[in-house]
C-alpha cells in the first residue's frame, strides 16, 4: 500500500506502546477539533459546486478520496468543460486568483501566455538588470509537478552584458519548458490527471523571492503545509524537518523519518522544541488565518495551503502554493482528516445530515473556480 495509506497506521499502533499512545493523542485531538470544523461548516464556509461532485462512502481513506476528487474533475471536464483544477494546476491562474482576492504572495513581476512576450520581458530584464533584485524565479505555469522541473532561479549572471545575448542555458530552457507536457505519472489517478493537465495553455510567471529570514534546515524560507477542511485549518506540516506537525492546541509533534531515530522503530512521536517559537510568538495564528481565508475564498472542501513564515514578521505570512492532491503523510491524524473531508459529502449526496454532519451550503455560481471574482465587502459568496 502507498506510504500515505492509513492502513499502515492501524498496524503501527498495535506494535508498540509509543505507537498506541500517539494514536490515542491523535484521536483526542480530533475530538477537540471536530466541533470547530462543524462550526466552520455551518457559519464560515460555502462550497463551490465544482468540489461538490466527489463521491465517497463511509470509511473512505484519504488516498481514496483524493482519487474520487480527481475522477470528479475528469467527469466535469468531459461533461461541461469545467476546469476548476486550474486553481492549482495552472500557476498563472492560481496567482491571478490570489492577486484578485488580495491573498498575500511573494511579489509577482509578470504573467504571460505568449512565448514572444515572455522573451521580450526577459530582454527587458537584461537591459535593466540594475532595477531588479535577484534571484528571480521563472515558473512554468503549466508545469506544477515537481518532476516537471518547471522552475528556474534567475541570477544576474543569466543575462549577458553588452553582447545582448541571453545566457546559453536560458532560452533553450524556456523553449523546452514551453512545449513540455505536464506529467503526473506514478500516482493512481495519473491517467485522469494527465488528461486534464494536457489541456493547459503554456505560460510563464516571474516571481520575486520571499524575503523573510531563511531559517529552515536547508537555508530556504520556512514553509508550513496547512491542511484545511471545510474552511477550518486542522494541522500544519513542516516537511523540511522530516516531519514536525503543528496542531491548533499549540503543540508540536516530531515524527522522525530517519531509520537512525528511535521513533522510526517505536512508531510514535515526541514533542518538538525547535519550532516552539512559531507557536509562542504568534506566527501560527497568522498562518491559520491565512490558510483559512485562502480555502474559504476558493470554496474548497479540502486543500493543502503552503505558506511561508517570516520569523521577523509573525503577522505577515504569504501563500506559496496550494495542493489538491497532497501526497504527504499525516500519520495517525490521517483517518480523522479523511472522516472530516468525506462526511459532509455524504450528507450532501443524501440530502440530509449524516451522523451529525450538516449539508454544506453550495454556492450558486457557474463561474469556474479560478475565475471567481472577489466577493463584495462583508458578503459571503
Amino acid at each position: 500500500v502507498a506510504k500515505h495509506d492509513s492502513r499502515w497506521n492501524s498496524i503501527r499502533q498495535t506494535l508498540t506502546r509509543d505507537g498506541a499512545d500517539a494514536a490515542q493523542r491523535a484521536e483526542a485531538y480530533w475530538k477537540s477539533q471536530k466541533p470547530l470544523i462543524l462550526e466552520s461548516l455551518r457559519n464560515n464556509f460555502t462550497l463551490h459546486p465544482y468540489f461538490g461532485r466527489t463521491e465517497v462512502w463511509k470509511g473512505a481513506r484519504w488516498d481514496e478520496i483524493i482519487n474520487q476528487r480527481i475522477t470528479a474533475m475528469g467527469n466535469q471536464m468531459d461533461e461541461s468543460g469545467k476546469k476548476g483544477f486550474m486553481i492549482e494546476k495552472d500557476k498563472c491562474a492560481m496567482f491571478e486568483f490570489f492577486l484578485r482576492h488580495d491573498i498575500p504572495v511573494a511579489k509577482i513581476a509578470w504573467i504571460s501566455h505568449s512565448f514572444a512576450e515572455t522573451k521580450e520581458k526577459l530582454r527587458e530584464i537584461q537591459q535593466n538588470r540594475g532595477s531588479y533584485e535577484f534571484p528571480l524565479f521563472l515558473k512554468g505555469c503549466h508545469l506544477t509537478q515537481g518532476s516537471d522541473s518547471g522552475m528556474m532561479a534567475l541570477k544576474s549572471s543569466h543575462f549577458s552584458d553588452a553582447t545582448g545575448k541571453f545566457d546559453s542555458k536560458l532560452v533553450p530552457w524556456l523553449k523546452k519548458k514551453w512545449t513540455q507536457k505536464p506529467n503526473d505519472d506514478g500516482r493512481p489517478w495519473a491517467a485522469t490527471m494527465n488528461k486534464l493537465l494536457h489541456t493547459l495553455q503554456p505560460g510563464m510567471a516571474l516571481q520575486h523571492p520571499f524575503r523573510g529570514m531563511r531559517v529552515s534546515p536547508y537555508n530556504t524560507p520556512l514553509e508550513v503545509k496547512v491542511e484545511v477542511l471545510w474552511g477550518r485549518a486542522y494541522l500544519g506540516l513542516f516537511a523540511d524537518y522530516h516531519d514536525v506537525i503543528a496542531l491548533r492546541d499549540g503543540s508540536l509533534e516530531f515524527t522522525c523519518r530517519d531509520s537512525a531515530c528511535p521513533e522510526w522503530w517505536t512508531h510514535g512521536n515526541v514533542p518538538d522544541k525547535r519550532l516552539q517559537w512559531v507557536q509562542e510568538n504568534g506566527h501560527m495564528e497568522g498562518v491559520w488565518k491565512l490558510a483559512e481565508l485562502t480555502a474559504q475564498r476558493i470554496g474548497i472542501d479540502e486543500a493543502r495551503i503552503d505558506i511561508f513564515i517570516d520569523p521577523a514578521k509573525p503577522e505577515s505570512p504569504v501563500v506559496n502554493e496550494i495542493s489538491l492532491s497532497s501526497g504527504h503523510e499525516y500519520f495517525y491524524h490521517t483517518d480523522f482528516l479523511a472522516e472530516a473531508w468525506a462526511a459532509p459529502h455524504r450528507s450532501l449526496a443524501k440530502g440530509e445530515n449524516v451522523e451529525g454532519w450538516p449539508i454544506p451550503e453550495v454556492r450558486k455560481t457557474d463561474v469556474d473556480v479560478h475565475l471567481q471574482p472577489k466577493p463584495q465587502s462583508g458578503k459571503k459568496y
Side-chain angles (χ1 to χ4, degrees):
V1 293
K3 70 174 184 179
H4 50 285
D5 186 324
S6 61
R7 286 175 290 187
W8 281 120
N9 294 324
S10 62
I11 298 171
R12 287 171 176 148
Q13 63 184 288
T14 66
L15 297 177
T16 67
R17 183 177 298 175
D18 285 354
D21 175 66
Q24 289 167 6
R25 282 186 279 109
E27 183 177 9
Y29 179 71
W30 159 243
K31 290 178 179 178
S32 74
Q33 295 301 304
K34 181 178 177 180
L36 300 172
I37 299 172
L38 288 166
E39 180 183 353
S40 177
L41 189 55
R42 292 188 180 107
N43 302 319
N44 303 324
F45 182 82
T46 59
L47 180 68
H48 190 285
Y50 184 76
F51 297 111
R53 294 279 300 275
T54 304
E55 298 180 4
V56 295
W57 53 91
K58 183 178 177 62
R61 301 190 311 272
W62 183 257
D63 56 304
E64 291 175 324
I65 306 171
I66 294 174
N67 194 54
Q68 291 298 103
R69 164 184 273 180
I70 294 170
T71 297
M73 291 177 175
N75 291 340
Q76 291 178 86
M77 179 73 181
D78 292 340
E79 294 166 6
S80 58
K82 290 297 182 185
K83 300 178 73 173
F85 65 92
M86 288 176 63
I87 190 65
E88 179 214 349
K89 298 302 181 183
D90 184 330
K91 278 191 169 66
C92 292
M94 180 187 72
F95 286 142
E96 287 168 343
F97 180 92
F98 291 160
L99 294 173
R100 191 184 318 127
H101 287 255
D102 298 323
I103 293 170
V105 295
K107 182 180 177 182
I108 306 296
W110 47 257
I111 294 170
S112 179
H113 285 288
S114 163
F115 182 81
E117 183 180 58
T118 298
K119 280 190 66 177
E120 184 60 31
K121 289 180 180 294
L122 291 172
R123 178 69 67 190
E124 178 190 346
I125 295 172
Q126 187 272 331
Q127 294 172 348
N128 300 280
R129 282 182 295 169
S131 301
Y132 290 88
E133 289 187 57
F134 294 91
L136 298 167
F137 295 97
L138 187 61
K139 299 182 176 183
C141 290
H142 56 300
L143 302 174
T144 58
Q145 312 306 118
S147 58
D148 290 332
S149 301
M151 188 273 290
M152 176 180 277
L154 301 179
K155 302 176 183 179
S156 179
S157 58
H158 280 101
F159 301 90
S160 61
D161 46 26
T163 63
K165 295 181 179 179
F166 291 118
D167 177 273
S168 59
K169 294 181 180 179
L170 179 52
V171 173
W173 182 89
L174 181 62
K175 289 179 178 177
K176 178 182 178 181
K177 295 302 171 181
W178 201 271
T179 58
Q180 181 177 330
K181 291 293 185 182
N183 192 308
D184 198 25
D185 285 350
R187 300 198 182 194
W189 50 80
T192 301
M193 182 57 76
N194 284 339
K195 181 179 177 180
L196 298 174
L197 294 176
H198 291 176
T199 69
L200 295 176
Q201 180 183 0
M204 288 282 165
L206 188 72
Q207 188 172 29
H208 293 263
F210 176 65
R211 292 297 182 185
M213 292 172 60
R214 299 182 172 222
V215 296
S216 86
Y218 301 104
N219 192 34
T220 54
L222 183 63
E223 183 182 52
V224 57
K225 301 174 184 293
V226 182
E227 279 293 341
V228 184
L229 298 149
W230 306 103
R232 170 72 184 180
Y234 192 85
L235 57 75
L237 177 78
F238 290 87
D240 285 350
Y241 286 79
H242 304 292
D243 285 327
V244 171
I245 289 178
L247 301 177
R248 297 299 300 266
D249 61 8
S251 62
L252 293 150
E253 298 176 348
F254 174 57
T255 303
C256 187
R257 304 293 296 277
D258 188 327
S259 60
C261 297
E263 292 78 31
W264 177 272
W265 304 101
T266 66
H267 307 290
N269 56 53
V270 296
D272 184 79
K273 299 295 183 183
R274 293 167 297 172
L275 289 169
Q276 193 167 348
W277 58 271
V278 301
Q279 295 278 31
E280 293 178 346
N281 297 336
H283 294 80
M284 291 308 298
E285 287 306 311
V287 164
W288 303 133
K289 183 177 179 180
L290 178 56
E292 291 176 348
L293 171 66
T294 304
Q296 290 166 5
R297 287 292 177 85
I298 296 170
I300 190 166
D301 46 347
E302 177 279 336
R304 196 192 78 207
I305 314 295
D306 298 352
I307 293 177
F308 286 144
I309 294 173
D310 184 346
K313 298 178 181 179
E315 74 287 354
S316 301
V318 303
V319 175
N320 178 26
E321 59 186 4
I322 68 173
S323 175
L324 306 185
S325 52
S326 175
H328 278 289
E329 184 178 5
Y330 301 113
F331 306 102
Y332 299 107
H333 298 286
T334 306
D335 281 343
F336 303 115
L337 287 164
E339 181 178 344
W341 185 2
H345 280 291
R346 294 170 58 215
S347 297
L348 182 62
K350 196 169 183 179
E352 62 183 43
N353 288 11
V354 173
E355 298 176 2
W357 289 92
I359 302 170
E361 180 183 348
V362 180
R363 295 178 184 175
K364 295 176 174 62
T365 181
D366 195 46
V367 177
D368 237 332
V369 175
H370 58 288
L371 299 176
Q372 294 176 96
K374 181 181 177 181
Q376 295 181 16
S377 179
K379 292 185 177 182
K380 291 199 302 182
Y381 281 99

